[in-house]
Amino acid sequence: MAPLNKKIQKFLKDSIRVAPKISKKGELAELRNGLVSPYPQTRKDAIKKTIQQMTLGKDVSSLFPDVLKNIATNDVEQKKLVYLYVMNYAESHPELCILAVNTFVTDAQDPNPLIRCMSIRTMSMVRVDKILEYVEIPLRRTLQDDNPYVRKTAVICVAKLFQLNQELCIELGVLEDLVSALDDSNPMVVANATAALTEIHGVDPSVVSLPKLINSHVSQFLLALNECTEWARITILGALADYSAKDSLEAQDIIDRVSAHLQHVNPAVVLATIKVIIRNLPQIQQQNFKAISLKLSSALVSIMSTPPEMQYVALKNIRIILEKYPELLVKELRIFYVKFNDPLYVKLEKIDIMVRLVDATNLKQCNLLLTELKEYAMEFEPEFVSKSIQGITQLAIKYSGEKFVSKALDDLLELVDRTENLKDDCCIAMCDLLRHCPTNEKIASDICALLNSWAVPESSLISDAAKCNYIWLMGHYPEKFTDLEGKLDQMIENFVQEECMTQASILMTVVRLHTQLPGSTLQNVLEMATTSVNEIDIRDMAMIYWRCLSMPNSDTLVDQLCKSVAPIFENALDNFSTETLEKLLNELSTISSIYFRPQSVRAKRYVLRQNIVRGKRMDELKDMAKNEIAKNMNDDVLLDFGDDEPKTSSSGNVSSNLLDDLDDIFGFNSTGATTSSETKDMQSSTNKMNTSTTNTQDLLNLF
Amino acid sequence: MASGVYFCDIKGKPILSRRYRDDISISAIDNFAPLLFELEEESSVIPPCLSHRDVQYMFIQHEDLYVVAISTSLQTNAAQIFTFLHKLVAVLGDYLKTVEEESVRDNFVIIYELLDEMMDYGIPQITETKMLKQYITQKSFKLVKAVKKVKAVARPPTTLTNSVSWRAEGITYKKNEAFLDMVESVNMLMTHQGQVLRSEIIGQVKVKSRLSGMPDLKLGINDRGIFSKITSDVVNDGEPSSITSGKKKLNVELEDLKFHQCVRLSKFENEKIITFIPPDGDFELMSYRLTTPVKPLIWCDVNVQVHSQSRIEIHCRAKAQIKKKTIANNVEILIPVPDDADTPSFKYSHGSIKWVPEKSAILWKIRSFSGGKEYSMAAQMGLPSISGNEKPKFKRPVQVKFQIPYFTTSGINVRYLKITEPKLQYKSYPWVRYITQSGDDYTIRLN
């Protein structure tokens, strides 16, 4: 029997041919051989290997003709592979795709919807006019296809075509087909058509009137909403959010119809629903407001148990919503407590939200938050700790009772005592508190006592803002510091190396205290500021001070400049302008809502709000001040300045700790203008001086 | 709307990409790695959305991968993109078992095919694995359960664009069963003294459906919001009360109910009835959240005494504050110790303790912890006699993990699960299990 067995084996071995395998090396020659191999399995394998090489970044475009030969097959899997390959080169080597155009057209009529889709999808991506010319008939046909899967693909192809060749797209008239797809019986087709129209509208608003279309399809949208996939829901809800209801009845109806989606598992659907509701909220009747806001707040809270990226988007959006509806989440403070394993970017946003949503009339809640923030300040991530300390100040100023402020201060004092490297943040925070309660003797002496105890202030403080605050404090409470001169001298020693905020602060303090300091100090600082500093503003400032000081009766003038009282620091949280806020509310859940950069503002030069740190604010202020100076320099009518002034001061509220600096700048501003005009008109100098001082007085009275 | 989706390795270098639109250059992704790197240099706050020359990079991290979506428009729906990226990873997970650099490299072709179906022109399309499996032709290398190769030519299932887009027709099982798992995860933040600062219960109802045809299911649970007719004045005072023993029916009020897309939301909104046609296999039917204050289920009284430059002493008493008959399984208590502590010595009565230097903590494991019991341990570790540079003191909380079977903290339970299949009319068997476990944030702050 054995030999027979062997014989059979030999026979089998000879008669069965094994499809050769393609090695993993992926050499072009081997792949080419594989692609034209008589064995289907080998060919398929070769296509896969080719795609693999393509992904690894190798240029396999030379195999294009060979791969393309494999497109004519009944095997869907193989066809798909070829399409994957073609799609990739459709972008980089469009000219090659010409070779495939006939296959595309045939495939667009294939009985299998999957293949119809693939062909139309690929065709509409190739950037060759020749191919686009062929697209007309297949596209038209697929737009009317029986199969909704094909239709939903075809409507998107219209948007693709539009982006590639607008004229052709309009000429073909497929846009009308697209518009009529909004009335399709299948909700997914409706959603994709909406997405495509939104896309086209974004490229050229004159081609389709999207708002009108949305207006006329609201009822279709509301119907389709209940029956489609999560992504389609997002698209449709997005369209609904662009619609303004005619009256309160309709607004209420829309809210009722969409609010079931607040319970969808997909957080993006929830957020899209929130957007629709927020849009309609201003129109509804007051008695319904409460129930809706309850639903809203519970939906927002629910997003806090989704992935961190989603939480981040939600937190940014909550920040916007809270500004319009501050009472919305007021009961949900605890939800925003920082979790130990939250990513840092979420933690920071949470602190911001907590301080914003806390009810400033509710002492218990404020106390709770204060304890919590203090706990955070004892963690180890430096950014997190800084933000918590900043939060403590913001909270104290928001609540605003002197008792509470002292309590916050005690916490800060305890924190500094506990950890060495919090000095910077605490110094800024405490000075902010003091600006809020400038008259409270206890707070002032507590802070000064602590800062006075720091032996080498210029080495214990690192950041520009902290040093600036420290020196400001010395300038305002000189009597509470021991060895004031020595401490100032230490700072002055490094004057040239310091950053501009500190420099400005030193300059002002030295001028303010010039009667108590030896004359050489003042001379020294003014000289350094005018000669060795690169910052033009500091130079200008020093120059003006110098001129003021060298004028007759300079003492009263400088006195008046220095005695100006900064407005009380009322709000440590920055707010959007009404206009920005309204725009942002319409752009919830978009990227622009994360950056707080509404679309229309983008065209203008706009500083990223997120990144605005104190230093930048200084720049802004300086720019403003500079403009103002330039204006006043050219303008002899000094009183014009008074008109501009309130505007500047309102934006000044945004800045947290520089109000008095600003104030001082105002001071030298007007005198600066006078001094310049004074050179022109020497004779009436005393006269002018009087005007200027009264003007300064007027300015200060405005506060 | 995304212009492209990229899989990048841990260094931010792209491994696999799919561009959906040509409004970004091919090299746009090359800016991602330097951008990320630059930001990491600057600070440790890395937001998931970066911007570079008007190109927006939105990314999530998964294992050793960055999954990045690029967009050029600020009007792009960021929430949608992030959810899509997470969903994409989940779907790939169903196909590849683990989604990491290696498995992505091994499965280029199928990922391309999936990316092609899941998103078109940057607009998310279909992300249900069960449906995708029916017309994705490629097989992956690590597919858990190889899909039966359909002999018929693959074509998009007709149900795909129907209103029931998550279930195929013609499913049959010999034995028709539905399994319901009610899982509650307790997140709690406590102070050292035992005061509860924050507590929430996140509940999930997971279903495994092995049912033929197109069954219609109706679920009844004892939620007050759902069955408002039954009035009950039971105040859930946090005592993990028994569900069955009490004669009065306990009703709990669930917040933030979230449903799988198969649940008829409008029906729930109007009539408060949960009805649905389930997808085949495993899925999460609903989730909810409860903020009713709860007493700590496992409480640890931890005392740490630091004798600087010589040693640190830790005493811990753990107590299971649950009913006598219930048992907490796999209890793990992670107590932080300073980075530079070493030479540990432990004294304990139950479980096992080890020092985990890479986490700078000691881990106390108790396999089963009966209700009402109290165990304690003491540990001592040496501290280096020379203190290095004044390092900031790290304040980390004690973390506790546990599982308690046959028990829900909220007291929620299933009243009924009715299964009707109008055509086949088979007999079916619903099964229900309950479990309470620690959530990802069950922590006790130290002094």
Side-chain angles (χ1 to χ4, degrees):
Chain A
M1 288 301 275
L4 182 63
N5 238 346
K6 259 188 189 167
K7 261 185 198 165
I8 294 172
Q9 273 177 9
K10 191 164 182 289
F11 172 75
L12 284 174
K13 211 168 133 193
D14 288 345
S15 56
I16 297 171
R17 291 171 301 169
V18 181
K21 287 234 160 64
I22 308 280
S23 70
K24 279 214 165 155
K25 272 185 251 158
E27 280 163 22
L28 284 182
E30 196 189 356
L31 287 173
R32 180 167 292 130
N33 282 335
L35 287 171
V36 294
S37 152
Y39 301 96
Q41 197 52 48
T42 312
R43 287 203 301 269
K44 212 191 263 184
D45 199 31
I47 306 174
K48 278 190 203 170
K49 290 271 155 54
T50 313
I51 292 176
Q52 198 140 13
Q53 292 302 316
M54 178 177 89
T55 311
L56 293 173
K58 205 164 168 184
D59 183 13
V60 285
S61 56
S62 62
L63 299 174
F64 199 93
D66 297 309
V67 176
L68 204 59
K69 275 176 203 148
N70 290 298
I71 205 169
T73 169
N74 287 327
D75 184 353
V76 183
E77 186 186 347
Q78 185 174 330
K79 210 173 193 102
K80 258 195 149 171
L81 287 173
V82 178
Y83 268 107
L84 276 179
Y85 174 88
V86 172
M87 215 163 327
N88 192 58
Y89 282 109
E91 291 169 73
S92 53
H93 297 70
E95 67 286 353
L96 293 173
C97 296
I98 276 288
L99 300 168
V101 78
N102 280 331
T103 325
F104 289 157
V105 177
T106 348
D107 279 352
Q109 302 180 54
D110 197 280
N112 188 339
L114 213 54
I115 293 172
R116 292 206 292 277
C117 277
M118 271 192 303
S119 94
I120 188 80
R121 201 151 54 186
T122 315
M123 263 179 113
S124 56
M125 275 180 61
V126 187
R127 337 187 88 219
V128 182
D129 286 348
K130 276 265 166 3
I131 291 200
L132 291 181
E133 281 165 21
Y134 284 95
V135 95
E136 182 187 352
I137 299 164
L139 184 58
R140 235 183 246 289
R141 199 183 299 129
T142 44
L143 276 170
Q144 310 295 338
D145 204 289
D146 290 340
N147 191 314
Y149 179 77
V150 180
R151 288 204 302 275
K152 85 160 176 74
T153 313
V155 287
I156 290 183
C157 289
V158 178
K160 290 186 201 171
L161 184 65
F162 186 82
Q163 208 181 31
L164 287 180
N165 192 335
Q166 291 190 24
E167 295 78 35
L168 182 73
C169 193
I170 296 166
E171 197 186 306
L172 291 183
V174 278
L175 286 178
E176 282 82 64
D177 290 308
L178 184 57
V179 169
S180 57
L182 284 179
D183 297 311
D184 199 287
S185 57
N186 189 291
M188 255 185 106
V189 181
V190 177
N192 275 357
T194 314
L197 282 168
T198 315
E199 206 52 52
I200 292 172
H201 185 75
V203 178
D204 186 355
S206 65
V207 182
V208 282
S209 131
L210 186 64
K212 223 179 192 174
L213 285 172
I214 293 178
N215 279 359
S216 55
H217 286 86
V218 171
S219 54
Q220 276 100 318
F221 288 154
L222 285 169
L223 266 179
L225 204 51
N226 289 320
E227 304 182 333
C228 48
T229 68
E230 44 198 326
W231 310 111
R233 286 180 206 216
I234 297 173
T235 310
I236 293 180
L237 286 166
L240 282 173
D242 285 335
Y243 172 71
S244 332
K246 286 190 278 294
D247 47 37
S248 73
L249 225 64
E250 192 181 13
Q252 184 68 44
D253 182 51
I254 291 177
I255 291 180
D256 289 345
R257 301 274 290 273
V258 297
S259 57
H261 292 86
L262 291 175
Q263 260 143 7
H264 200 280
V265 72
N266 184 329
V269 175
V270 177
L271 207 54
T273 314
I274 291 175
K275 190 175 173 183
V276 177
I277 296 181
I278 293 274
R279 169 78 191 226
N280 287 295
L281 209 48
Q283 287 203 45
I284 61 151
Q285 311 223 307
Q286 205 49 42
Q287 71 264 26
N288 299 329
F289 186 82
K290 192 133 194 268
I292 296 166
S293 61
L294 260 176
K295 276 186 190 169
L296 271 183
S297 85
S298 126
L300 284 170
V301 162
S302 75
I303 305 182
M304 290 301 112
S305 32
T306 55
E309 293 84 11
M310 201 50 229
Q311 286 185 41
Y312 180 69
V313 179
L315 284 165
K316 290 281 190 184
N317 282 214
I318 288 174
R319 154 89 175 79
I320 298 169
I321 297 171
L322 274 186
E323 205 156 312
K324 176 98 178 176
Y325 304 104
E327 68 295 332
L328 199 59
L329 286 158
V330 88
K331 289 207 183 83
E332 307 287 356
L333 182 68
R334 280 161 190 263
I335 293 298
F336 297 96
Y337 278 14
V338 168
K339 285 186 189 167
F340 176 60
N341 40 12
D342 278 336
L344 200 49
Y345 61 81
V346 170
K347 285 185 180 175
L348 299 188
E349 295 304 324
K350 277 187 173 175
I351 294 186
D352 190 49
I353 294 298
M354 281 194 288
V355 177
R356 280 172 194 280
L357 71 79
V358 78
D359 178 6
T361 56
N362 183 340
L363 179 62
K364 203 177 149 210
Q365 204 182 34
C366 288
N367 269 328
L368 212 64
L369 182 56
L370 185 64
T371 328
E372 190 66 18
L373 287 172
K374 193 181 153 197
E375 194 69 41
Y376 299 157
M378 291 187 268
E379 297 270 343
F380 54 94
E381 291 139 316
E383 289 90 347
F384 182 50
V385 171
S386 289
K387 184 85 184 173
S388 323
I389 293 178
Q390 199 190 339
I392 292 180
T393 331
Q394 289 169 337
L395 175 68
I397 292 172
K398 186 171 177 182
Y399 185 75
S400 172
E402 297 224 341
K403 244 193 200 157
F404 194 76
V405 174
S406 322
K407 198 172 164 211
L409 181 64
D410 289 342
D411 285 343
L412 289 176
L413 292 172
E414 198 189 320
L415 283 171
V416 184
D417 198 40
R418 200 182 158 113
T419 328
E420 270 290 300
N421 47 8
L422 297 184
K423 279 184 178 167
D424 269 37
D425 293 310
C426 287
C427 176
I428 300 171
M430 290 187 293
C431 289
D432 281 351
L433 289 181
L434 191 55
R435 278 192 200 96
H436 182 64
C437 311
T439 49
N440 190 318
E441 198 51 36
K442 169 96 174 31
I443 293 179
S445 45
D446 275 355
I447 295 173
C448 292
L450 173 76
L451 266 61
N452 191 28
S453 68
W454 293 347
V456 235
E458 94 277 2
S459 60
S460 50
L461 295 174
I462 299 151
S463 75
D464 193 27
K467 286 182 190 169
C468 165
N469 273 288
Y470 176 75
I471 298 165
W472 169 84
L473 192 69
M474 283 203 283
H476 279 76
Y477 301 91
E479 69 286 352
K480 291 193 162 59
F481 281 84
T482 53
D483 188 24
L484 184 72
E485 214 183 304
K487 282 183 174 128
L488 259 179
D489 276 343
Q490 282 180 333
M491 305 302 291
I492 293 166
E493 233 168 76
N494 294 328
F495 184 79
V496 182
Q497 284 93 46
E498 296 294 359
E499 283 166 67
C500 55
M501 264 160 72
T502 311
Q503 286 177 340
S505 187
I506 293 181
L507 194 57
M508 282 185 280
T509 304
V510 172
V511 172
R512 180 182 274 266
L513 303 178
H514 75 281
T515 46
Q516 299 166 44
L517 296 167
S520 60
T521 316
L522 180 63
Q523 182 78 17
N524 183 14
V525 171
L526 286 175
E527 241 163 52
M528 277 197 288
T530 44
T531 55
S532 343
V533 174
N534 289 327
E535 198 66 39
I536 276 198
D537 298 305
I538 304 289
R539 279 174 180 237
D540 283 354
M541 219 168 131
M543 215 56 115
I544 288 156
Y545 276 130
W546 207 333
R547 287 208 189 151
C548 291
L549 285 164
S550 53
M551 259 185 234
N553 70 6
S554 65
D555 277 358
T556 35
L557 176 60
V558 172
D559 228 33
Q560 257 171 333
L561 279 182
C562 296
K563 278 228 181 82
S564 62
V565 180
I568 290 178
F569 189 38
E570 294 284 11
N571 182 12
L573 296 161
D574 49 354
N575 292 323
F576 301 120
S577 69
T578 335
E579 192 196 357
T580 315
L581 179 62
E582 286 306 320
K583 277 183 190 146
L584 283 174
L585 281 171
N586 286 334
E587 290 176 23
L588 289 180
S589 86
T590 61
I591 302 181
S592 52
S593 77
I594 300 183
Y595 295 148
F596 302 146
R597 251 163 66 178
Q599 184 71 0
S600 47
V601 181
R602 197 164 60 108
K604 300 175 206 158
R605 194 187 68 87
Y606 192 80
V607 193
L608 234 157
R609 231 166 213 286
Q610 196 186 15
N611 289 342
I612 293 181
V613 284
R614 293 214 151 108
K616 283 237 174 90
R617 283 182 187 146
M618 175 68 177
D619 291 344
E620 272 179 16
L621 285 176
K622 274 195 316 211
D623 279 346
M624 277 182 333
K626 237 191 310 192
N627 291 339
E628 218 72 71
I629 292 170
K631 205 167 154 195
N632 284 307
M633 288 286 199
N634 299 333
D635 224 345
D636 270 350
V637 191
L638 287 164
L639 286 172
D640 269 359
F641 180 60
D643 293 334
D644 289 331
E645 192 270 342
K647 191 184 79 200
T648 328
S649 84
S650 64
S651 42
N653 273 338
V654 175
S655 105
S656 47
N657 61 335
L658 284 151
L659 278 171
D660 61 325
D661 300 3
L662 186 69
D663 205 5
D664 279 0
I665 292 170
F666 283 164
F668 82 71
N669 237 346
S670 43
T671 29
T674 333
T675 5
S676 74
S677 52
E678 178 228 9
T679 43
K680 281 190 244 155
D681 194 356
M682 281 293 264
Q683 293 167 332
S684 57
S685 74
T686 20
N687 246 341
K688 281 259 174 182
M689 186 48 65
N690 286 339
T691 349
S692 102
T693 37
T694 43
N695 185 35
T696 320
Q697 210 68 56
D698 287 343
L699 277 179
L700 296 171
N701 289 342
L702 278 172
F703 280 112
Chain B
M1 269 132 245
S3 300
V5 172
Y6 301 80
F7 288 84
C8 298
D9 63 12
I10 196 78
K11 290 184 191 123
K13 227 183 96 204
I15 323 172
L16 186 151
S17 66
R18 175 78 168 87
R19 279 172 68 218
Y20 292 102
R21 311 178 164 209
D22 45 18
D23 57 352
I24 46 163
S25 69
I26 297 182
S27 59
I29 187 65
D30 298 340
N31 292 323
F32 175 65
L35 204 62
L36 197 66
F37 185 68
E38 205 176 289
L39 210 65
E40 272 170 2
E41 291 270 278
E42 245 170 56
S43 80
S44 36
V45 189
I46 316 281
C49 185
L50 309 176
S51 154
H52 179 76
R53 291 200 187 142
D54 280 341
V55 178
Q56 314 297 330
Y57 300 84
M58 284 163 281
F59 65 97
I60 62 168
Q61 259 181 297
H62 182 83
E63 304 286 343
D64 55 356
L65 288 171
Y66 287 103
V67 189
V68 191
I70 296 188
S71 170
T72 50
S73 162
L74 280 180
Q75 287 304 292
T76 300
N77 187 334
Q80 183 195 38
I81 298 291
F82 283 130
T83 337
F84 176 78
L85 291 180
H86 277 286
K87 195 83 192 185
L88 174 65
V89 171
V91 168
L92 288 184
D94 291 339
Y95 271 89
L96 316 177
K97 206 166 178 181
T98 53
V99 185
E100 53 190 30
E101 189 185 336
E102 205 187 324
S103 64
V104 168
R105 281 192 193 280
D106 287 345
N107 291 286
F108 281 149
V109 182
I110 189 160
I111 297 179
Y112 275 130
E113 199 179 339
L114 282 169
L115 281 173
D116 217 37
E117 282 305 331
M118 290 175 70
M119 198 174 232
D120 192 6
Y121 200 50
I123 307 162
Q125 297 292 312
I126 288 146
T127 51
E128 283 292 311
T129 315
K130 281 147 209 151
M131 299 315 289
L132 285 167
K133 274 191 176 161
Q134 292 185 36
Y135 65 108
I136 292 292
T137 53
Q138 291 295 320
K139 272 184 282 184
S140 69
F141 291 122
K142 282 181 192 160
L143 189 57
V144 197
K145 204 171 81 187
V147 208
K148 267 180 244 156
K149 185 78 184 157
V150 194
K151 279 279 172 282
V153 188
R155 26 170 83 227
T158 47
T159 41
L160 196 63
T161 44
N162 281 356
S163 54
V164 183
S165 67
W166 51 86
R167 189 181 177 94
E169 276 160 354
I171 298 167
T172 49
Y173 286 102
K174 250 183 210 159
K175 195 174 176 189
N176 288 293
E177 292 172 306
F179 302 87
L180 233 72
D181 276 347
M182 315 275 286
V183 185
E184 289 195 340
S185 308
V186 183
N187 284 321
M188 211 179 255
L189 177 63
M190 291 152 279
T191 63
H192 182 242
Q193 290 80 20
Q195 186 198 354
V196 178
L197 291 176
R198 188 175 68 91
S199 76
E200 63 171 359
I201 302 166
I202 295 182
Q204 292 165 297
V205 180
K206 293 178 181 168
V207 179
K208 179 184 194 145
S209 100
R210 299 174 59 79
L211 299 165
S212 318
M214 279 286 176
D216 207 327
L217 275 65
K218 197 163 158 188
L219 174 69
I221 47 176
N222 60 334
D223 170 46
R224 198 184 298 161
I226 297 174
F227 300 97
S228 45
K229 275 181 227 157
I230 310 162
T231 46
S232 158
D233 51 353
V234 180
V235 183
N236 202 351
D237 62 346
E239 189 64 44
S241 38
S242 136
I243 305 151
T244 43
S245 67
K247 281 214 173 126
K248 48 183 174 181
K249 296 241 167 71
L250 187 75
N251 286 283
V252 273
E253 196 162 1
L254 308 178
E255 296 163 48
D256 296 352
L257 279 165
K258 286 278 175 299
F259 293 109
H260 185 270
Q261 58 166 323
C262 67
V263 176
R264 297 181 187 100
L265 289 178
S266 44
K267 184 126 178 163
F268 177 76
E269 181 83 4
N270 298 329
E271 301 165 44
K272 302 288 172 205
I273 303 173
I274 305 173
T275 56
F276 56 99
I277 295 173
D280 194 36
D282 296 298
F283 69 101
E284 187 182 309
L285 176 68
M286 60 180 259
S287 65
Y288 55 88
R289 197 178 55 87
L290 275 149
T291 40
T292 32
V294 186
K295 212 163 81 179
L297 300 172
I298 303 285
W299 165 244
C300 299
D301 187 7
V302 184
N303 253 310
V304 183
Q305 276 183 307
V306 186
H307 305 272
S308 70
Q309 303 189 2
S310 74
R311 68 203 156 82
I312 176 169
E313 275 180 63
I314 298 166
H315 293 275
C316 173
R317 269 187 319 122
K319 193 176 177 193
Q321 311 190 82
I322 44 180
K323 266 199 316 152
K324 282 241 165 62
K325 278 182 209 155
T326 17
I327 296 170
N329 290 331
N330 303 323
V331 178
E332 290 185 14
I333 301 166
L334 195 73
I335 305 168
V337 294
D339 290 340
D340 46 6
D342 52 15
T343 57
S345 69
F346 305 116
K347 267 185 223 155
Y348 53 96
S349 53
H350 287 85
S352 67
I353 298 187
K354 67 178 177 193
W355 174 41
V356 198
E358 61 273 17
K359 282 186 188 164
S360 302
I362 49 179
L363 180 64
W364 184 15
K365 281 188 184 174
I366 303 163
R367 180 148 299 201
S368 96
F369 203 153
S370 309
K373 287 268 166 43
E374 191 176 317
Y375 301 140
S376 60
M377 66 80 100
Q380 186 170 323
M381 294 180 79
L383 289 173
S385 51
I386 313 149
S387 63
N389 300 339
E390 276 284 320
K391 267 192 196 164
K393 268 179 221 154
F394 285 5
K395 248 192 124 253
R396 290 170 301 155
V398 173
Q399 288 167 281
V400 184
K401 287 183 185 158
F402 57 83
Q403 280 146 22
I404 307 170
Y406 316 115
F407 168 71
T408 54
T409 322
S410 63
I412 185 175
N413 68 340
V414 174
R415 289 265 169 76
Y416 57 82
L417 178 65
K418 283 181 191 149
I419 303 170
T420 41
E421 155 62 60
K423 284 183 204 144
L424 305 171
Q425 304 211 327
Y426 46 73
K427 220 170 140 192
S428 53
Y429 307 89
W431 306 90
V432 185
R433 279 193 303 193
Y434 301 95
I435 187 167
T436 290
Q437 62 186 26
S438 55
D440 55 357
D441 190 63
Y442 188 97
T443 48
I444 302 164
R445 280 182 185 159
L446 288 175
N447 254 1

